[in-house]
Amino acid sequence: MKSEFPIPTLRRGPRGLALENVDLADIAAAHGTPTYVYSLAALTAAYQSWRDALGERRALVCYAVKANANLGVLSAFARLGAGFDIVSGGELTRVLAAGGSADKVVFSGVGKNAAEMRQALEAGIRCFNVESAAELERLAEVAAAMGKVAPISLRVNPDVDPKTHPYISTGLRNNKFGVAFDEALILYRRAAALPSLRVAGIDCHIGSQLLDGAPALEAAEKILGLVDRLAAEGIELEHIDLGGGLGIRYRDEEPPAVADYLAPLLAPFDGRREELMFEPGRSLVGNAGLLLTRIEYLKPGVEKNFAVIDAAMNDLARPALYDAWHDIVEVAPRASVRRYEVVGPVCESGDFLGRDRSLGVEAGDLLAVLSAGAYGMTMSSNYNSRPRAAEVIVDGAHAHLVRARETVEQLYAGEQPLA
Ligand SMILES: *Cc1c(COP(=O)(O)O)cnc(C)c1O
């Protein structure tokens, strides 16, 4: 699957851009715009590249649900045998509704509340990735009150710099995630002494959109050192979870292939007995999806031309939030090319999806915003009372609507005018 685009299953056909064997123009005609469109073949290939790289090792790939939580996407990963990394009770409910099994779910996040803990204990998840001493105590109490034993892992903060955007860097000492290295030993001893907790593993996650494997390797080696110290005290771990974070190509980045990223990381684990886990999100879905949008107006300006599209920062927040780049391509390009600011209808100057882009377009034409499969729909909002986009999964020549476009009535269904 070689493509001129970062999305491996996107190609130019006689009727413009097609994802797998479905013309994007047909999706727009059937479902309107803006619409997120995902390729089942692309996300399957991404998952398979992780499985292939792990080979015969005892290892579980837990898809990080927050990257894209659509039930269609989750059911595809469940069928492939993936586990899931969740960060809320809502995500657990989605995983179970999509056919995922609780015993392959790990629960991350710094702020799990008691109700979420009860829900996860009831469901029988694989592991709680605990992030603080206070959370450990609360989980022990909640589990004890239910007469259950909670399997735990401590999210250890290895204090390595992943060299990514500061908002998505999570493994440095000064951020809110995980427990400090020195504190981890004390907390493991505490956990081992609490009858309602079972020490199952250890985990780390140093950041997102990593383009270099060295920081992850540094983190893995530090974690292994800790695992061996714990073993020396009689605390034996069943699994080691190295988190997610592998980056993708949005523009001209050159992230390592999964196999190249994993090879050095796996080497120190050769011959060890612990099961390995990973929590990739972006690398499984980012380049399996695009946001299909239509140009409402072209607005020539003195210094800049604007292409006003029907998608906005509420649909895809990454450009406004991180100044992130997404390729934007014409579904059916026209000969005359000009430079445009590609902006949405939202009342914010930060509402752009692309700046200074060369496009051959007329009003009414379709555009595809690429690499939008991860942290696209899941970070969307209803700002400006904009119903959220539809979502479609393409499988070969078939397009399945996996989320209907929201209606405005749904947006205020829980509201009430004052009596
Ligand atoms: C967000 C997150 C992930 C997934 O990160 P990606 O960069 O999308 O791979 C994995 N684990 C944890 C704990 C996370 O918070």
Side-chain angles (χ1 to χ4, degrees), residues 158-224:
D159 195 25
V160 301
D161 184 357
K163 302 186 178 66
T164 183
H165 191 287
Y167 288 8
I168 51 178
S169 154
T170 56
L172 279 167
R173 193 163 31 186
N174 60 2
N175 71 48
K176 71 176 178 182
F177 298 100
V179 301
F181 226 74
D182 309 326
E183 196 188 353
L185 267 180
I186 298 163
L187 290 184
Y188 270 114
R189 288 181 198 128
R190 171 77 180 143
L194 287 167
S196 61
L197 299 181
R198 178 170 62 79
V199 174
I202 189 166
D203 64 286
C204 71
H205 173 73
I206 60 173
S208 202
Q209 185 57 9
L210 309 179
L211 296 171
D212 172 10
L217 180 57
E218 192 187 333
E221 282 170 342
K222 286 189 173 180
I223 294 283
L224 267 183

Side-chain angles (χ1 to χ4, degrees), residues 332-385:
R334 315 245 180 197
S336 119
V337 172
R338 301 177 71 170
R339 297 190 81 78
Y340 293 98
E341 301 287 298
V342 181
V343 301
V346 163
C347 304
E348 298 274 349
S349 296
D351 182 26
F352 65 91
L353 293 196
R355 301 204 124 121
D356 201 23
R357 303 302 179 91
S358 291
L359 294 168
V361 288
E362 289 178 10
D365 286 359
L366 293 168
L367 293 174
V369 183
L370 306 187
S371 311
Y375 305 106
M377 188 63 169
T378 48
M379 292 179 86
S380 66
S381 77
N382 295 118
Y383 189 38
N384 282 206
S385 285

